[in-house]
Amino acid sequence: MAEEQAVTAAGNEISDTFLAEKKRSDEVLGKLHANPGAYTMLTGDRPTGRLHLGHYFGSIKERVAMQNLGVNTNIIIADYQVITDRDTTEHIGDNVMGLVMDYLAAGIDPNKTMIYTHSAVPAENQLMLPFLSLVSEAELERNPTVKSEMEASGHALTGLLLTYPVHQACDILFCKANVVPIGKDNLPHVQITRTIARRFNKRYAKKHPVFPEPAAILSDAPEIPGLDGRKMSKSYGNSIMLGATAEETAKLIKKSPTDSERRITFDPVNRPQVSALLTTAGLCTGRKPEDIAEEIGEAGAGALKQYVTKVVNDFLAPHRERRAQLEKDPDYVHDVLHDGNKRANEIANQTLDEVREAMGMKY
Ligand code: TRP
């Protein structure tokens, strides 16, 4: 019983925080549009697989938009985060290259956006030591995302899983990012990042604060469900991969489950599978899912699937073409990452110097 109450209380706390964070996000986004040059964005992905349409609409599109607005944009490929909850780095090289190719194909311009990996930037990782001293074990253990990741992994809590939100603070703060586009599940990590920045400045750098206190940027894009109506996730096999072929996509859509009602209607609660197809088509065409449903009506699920296949493949065709070009030129893709890593090292060395200076550790 007591446990149940605690869970509910934690749930309320999360939704209150979410509303406050969303408000802050909207305010900061307004200011960012007025003065993009004053903002540094950092966000990123774990290289655990390929990107899908959910990633595109949920985050990649927004990164490209910020880059093109003139925000100083940075993307971390969080390779050390891969081993927080699994004991293999199998395919990691391919996954990293796959991410870089999808970013570039989606419109990330390596001359404007720095792309880097954890493992190539020692000074970034070294920030972990002073930062760990600024948080308590209780604060780490309270992180709801870490808790659910531990449960999902079926492993014992590793030291890295417990502390990776602090590592994420290193990612964000080494380049002094003040805006961090993320999904809801990463909110606790941005909050601990702010706490670390505040405590560091207060403890060591009262006169000349070293770190900004970044805002989470929470997207307004509707969450795109997987083809079976559940969350789009690689492990459910319900995801449309950006890099899949048109034929693979057609096959996946064809075998996606629907229901026995002939008439197509948009009703996410009662008809999640049909509605997932409509939402997907809506995002790819900019049309309202309700209008698409109306148009298809009695023609049924077969006609709906044909329509979804066409609009998804049309939407992804230019991306896939650019990606195919990049696949033929792996040296270029490697160069992009090497350049990003080189710049990240310069920035991280500079920040670590400031940190040592503030802490009186310059000998
Ligand atoms: N934790 C993020 C995810 O799994 C990836 C990530 C790592 C990240 N470092 C970051 C996101 C810094 C934002 C900022 O999706």
Side-chain angles (χ1 to χ4, degrees), residues 121-309:
V121 189
E124 197 241 75
N125 294 306
Q126 193 177 325
L127 291 175
M128 190 78 175
L129 293 171
F131 286 4
L132 277 172
S133 77
L134 298 166
V135 295
S136 70
E137 184 194 347
E139 283 171 318
L140 294 172
E141 254 150 23
R142 192 181 302 142
N143 187 311
T145 302
V146 169
K147 272 190 205 162
S148 51
E149 285 172 342
M150 181 196 65
E151 280 155 19
S153 78
H155 283 52
L157 180 64
T158 65
L160 188 61
L161 183 55
L162 180 65
T163 55
Y164 93 83
V166 180
H167 197 206
Q168 197 154 323
C170 302
D171 300 342
I172 297 168
L173 294 177
F174 94 100
C175 64
K176 304 192 180 172
N178 49 7
V179 284
V180 187
I182 42 146
K184 227 176 167 162
D185 56 340
N186 271 253
L187 257 183
H189 309 348
V190 176
Q191 290 168 331
I192 196 95
T193 300
R194 281 205 294 269
T195 302
I196 289 170
R198 190 174 344 107
R199 287 182 188 159
F200 185 93
N201 291 338
K202 188 159 170 250
R203 201 174 286 184
Y204 300 113
K206 270 217 182 70
K207 279 204 199 111
H208 305 287
V210 175
F211 295 114
E213 291 180 36
I217 300 298
L218 296 157
S219 143
D220 282 328
E223 188 165 296
I224 175 167
L227 290 171
D228 54 1
R230 293 189 290 174
K231 186 182 155 73
M232 190 175 271
S233 162
K234 202 184 102 187
S235 50
Y236 294 158
N238 63 1
S239 321
I240 298 170
M241 296 301 169
L242 301 182
T245 63
E247 293 71 43
E248 287 162 347
T249 305
K251 229 189 233 163
L252 193 73
I253 294 173
K254 195 159 183 202
K255 72 171 200 334
S256 69
T258 49
D259 53 41
S260 54
E261 215 175 306
R262 172 136 196 115
R263 191 179 167 72
I264 298 303
T265 52
F266 184 62
D267 181 356
V269 175
N270 298 307
R271 306 186 69 188
Q273 299 157 335
V274 164
S275 302
L277 287 165
L278 289 164
T279 302
T280 305
L283 281 163
C284 291
T285 53
R287 297 180 67 191
K288 288 227 297 270
E290 290 86 347
D291 293 348
I292 300 170
E294 185 67 39
E295 189 177 281
I296 294 183
E298 296 293 341
L304 173 62
K305 286 182 178 181
Q306 259 176 26
Y307 178 75
V308 177
T309 303

Side-chain angles (χ1 to χ4, degrees), residues 123 174 176 344-355:
F174 94 100
K176 304 192 180 172
N345 271 294
E346 285 159 15
I347 297 168
N349 286 332
Q350 158 83 31
T351 302
L352 185 59
D353 257 354
E354 284 175 52
V355 163

Side-chain angles (χ1 to χ4, degrees), residues 114-126:
M114 177 173 91
I115 304 173
Y116 80 100
T117 55
H118 279 144
S119 59
V121 189
E124 197 241 75
N125 294 306
Q126 193 177 325

